[in-house]
Amino acid sequence: MDYVIPFNKPMMVGAEMEYIQAALHNLHVSGDGAFTKQTHAWLENTIGAKKALLTTSCTHALEMSAILLDIQPGDEVIVPAFTFVSTVNAFVLRGAKPIFADIRPDTLNMDETKLEALITPHTRAIVPVHYAGVACEMDAIMAIANRHGIAVVEDNAHGLLAQYKGKNLGTFGAMATQSFHETKNFHCGEGGALLINDPQYVERAEIIREKGTNRSRFFRGQVDKYTWVDVGSSYLPSDMLAAYLYAQFEQREYIQSSRAQAWRLYAEHLSDWAEEHRVQLPTVPAHVEQAYHMFYMLLPSLEVRTKIIAHLKERGIQTVFHYLPLNVSDMGKAFGGKAGDCPVTEDVSDRLLRLPFYNTLSESDVMQVVEAFYAFTDWV
Ligand SMILES: *Cc1c(COP(=O)(O)O)cnc(C)c1O
């Protein structure tokens, strides 16, 4: 059905068409053209990462991070049980065993107080996900990782432009990954980026991204021929996609301020209702600057969630939920995961609801959604 208010609208917000045409006229439509370089510079200057490399997806940036960390069969990688499959798949593809960490009941981020107990002599990486663009407790996570000499890769798919204690997300780990999928704040349909903070990984990252060749060094004149030097794959997006994405980056103020406004309107107008019905709205700690990636709520039960989704659908409003606990997925169980391992994840997963959230969501759209929640009476 066509929804009056869909869950997502991946809109053009500026010069997307103009820049795509320019990319075509440049006659450099493959990867690493002029627009790709502009997106790299924007990410490096805005976030403060040493090196940014555009990729075909966040999934692929995560795969690059697993290759860069030289993850081998038998290595263990700690991931939150409450995340998208790509966070873990990238490491499993290299033969790693995933170790699932439970989440905090307030921010739904990896519970840093349970992290140290999961570390073994085989642990090679910790992959925190900044859920909903609200930072994980990075002081604690980095202290544990550093004490044990374990690399941190931030899955920052939700958290571009967010901060933890005044420092940008994506700058804490040795590496971080971004997504520019159409459901994220800034998008180009499908796309991603690898941000590198530890300079030891920069040169090899360029090689892995270029099918295992030293092509980037060749184009910079640092070597006189380019050849096969390492493993790798094809992780460069077309410059047409970079052109689209750069137009979105230019609209940073518009995108972030409209999302902040929609988020605040939901929070303000749903707070009394939420309290009355024992619904939990998002928690954003005071030392955190969030990315305004999504607005979610935790309903009292799965039954209520199912009824509310149907009730909103009748009114033309699309709501969705996500992240079945990875520890009880078919793959998670094959790695030894079982029910009861991650009680907070398993509880939250049944009750979480994501509300319509996109750059052009207007005040009247938000109010229509809010009214629909107030009109729901079938609490069980
Ligand atoms: C969207 C998302 C990804 C994957 O992003 P793609 O660009 O679609 O590969 C990975 N991790 C998290 C937490 C995400 O939300």
Side-chain angles (χ1 to χ4, degrees), residues 287-299:
H287 56 275
V288 154
E289 191 63 52
Q290 67 150 318
Y292 300 103
H293 172 58
M294 74 168 87
F295 195 91
Y296 71 86
M297 57 174 63
L298 295 181
L299 293 161

Side-chain angles (χ1 to χ4, degrees), residues 93-379:
L93 274 169
R94 312 308 305 169
K97 179 183 182 196
I99 303 294
F100 301 111
D102 205 2
I103 54 171
R104 296 169 54 112
D106 54 359
T107 56
L108 314 189
N109 281 326
M110 173 183 271
D111 188 340
E112 71 285 355
T113 65
K114 306 213 177 105
L115 191 54
E116 198 141 26
L118 301 174
I119 292 173
T120 76
H122 303 290
T123 311
R124 293 289 320 286
I126 299 171
V127 193
V129 176
H130 303 295
Y131 184 72
V134 173
C136 296
E137 281 307 319
M138 292 315 289
D139 281 350
I141 291 171
M142 293 311 297
I144 293 166
N146 291 336
R147 190 154 65 239
H148 294 272
I150 297 168
V152 170
V153 177
E154 299 171 73
D155 180 340
N156 197 30
H158 301 177
L160 187 64
L161 300 172
Q163 295 186 328
Y164 173 77
K165 297 186 177 172
K167 184 170 153 61
N168 290 324
L169 300 191
T171 61
F172 288 87
M175 291 165 247
T177 62
Q178 303 296 150
S179 176
F180 304 117
H181 182 263
E182 72 166 30
T183 51
K184 305 304 197 296
N185 294 27
F186 297 83
H187 85 98
C188 57
E190 300 273 0
L194 180 66
L195 305 182
I196 302 172
N197 300 306
D198 185 337
Q200 67 165 307
Y201 297 114
V202 171
E203 190 178 326
R204 189 157 180 244
E206 291 181 334
I207 289 167
I208 289 165
R209 184 166 164 269
E210 278 278 21
K211 301 96 180 165
T213 72
N214 55 359
R215 194 165 181 264
S216 299
R217 299 196 72 201
F218 172 73
F219 279 121
R220 283 198 296 266
Q222 292 167 325
V223 289
D224 58 12
K225 55 187 180 312
Y226 88 82
T227 183
W228 185 29
V229 294
D230 202 338
V231 296
S233 189
S234 185
Y235 293 125
L236 289 75
S238 159
D239 214 47
M240 273 192 288
L241 289 174
Y244 188 106
L245 183 62
Y246 190 69
Q248 297 249 316
F249 284 169
E250 283 187 333
Q251 297 301 317
R252 169 195 175 161
E253 290 308 322
Y254 163 72
I255 289 175
Q256 290 305 101
S257 65
S258 6
R259 296 180 82 94
Q261 189 194 325
W263 198 97
R264 290 190 191 116
L265 284 168
Y266 273 138
E268 179 188 336
H269 293 284
L270 285 170
S271 71
D272 290 345
W273 172 88
E275 201 169 327
E276 185 184 342
H277 297 289
R278 287 186 290 132
V279 171
Q280 181 182 324
L281 297 185
T283 303
V284 183
H287 56 275
V288 154
E289 191 63 52
Q290 67 150 318
Y292 300 103
H293 172 58
M294 74 168 87
F295 195 91
Y296 71 86
M297 57 174 63
L298 295 181
L299 293 161
S301 67
L302 174 61
E303 292 72 25
V304 167
R305 181 174 76 180
T306 306
K307 286 182 182 177
I308 286 197
I309 290 173
H311 164 84
L312 293 165
K313 187 178 178 188
E314 265 171 40
R315 293 168 169 248
I317 298 166
Q318 184 182 26
T319 52
V320 301
F321 55 84
H322 68 173
Y323 300 159
L324 299 180
L326 289 176
N327 58 303
V328 292
S329 64
D330 288 351
M331 275 297 279
K333 283 195 227 159
F335 283 108
K338 57 185 187 316
D341 284 351
C342 299
V344 181
T345 301
E346 290 164 41
D347 169 46
V348 157
S349 171
D350 278 345
R351 302 191 289 115
L352 187 133
L353 186 70
R354 297 177 68 183
L355 276 50
F357 204 71
Y358 45 87
N359 300 332
T360 53
L361 189 74
S362 68
E363 179 161 2
S364 75
D365 294 333
V366 171
M367 293 317 293
Q368 210 174 313
V369 177
V370 167
E371 278 158 29
F373 276 105
Y374 273 88
F376 179 77
T377 52
D378 197 10
W379 302 88

Side-chain angles (χ1 to χ4, degrees), residues 25-37:
H25 285 301
N26 284 343
L27 301 182
H28 182 129
V29 196
S30 60
D32 278 346
F35 284 103
T36 305
K37 292 192 171 84

Side-chain angles (χ1 to χ4, degrees), residues 32-47:
D32 278 346
F35 284 103
T36 305
K37 292 192 171 84
Q38 279 181 276
T39 63
H40 289 173
W42 189 91
L43 285 165
E44 286 159 12
N45 297 333
T46 308
I47 307 306

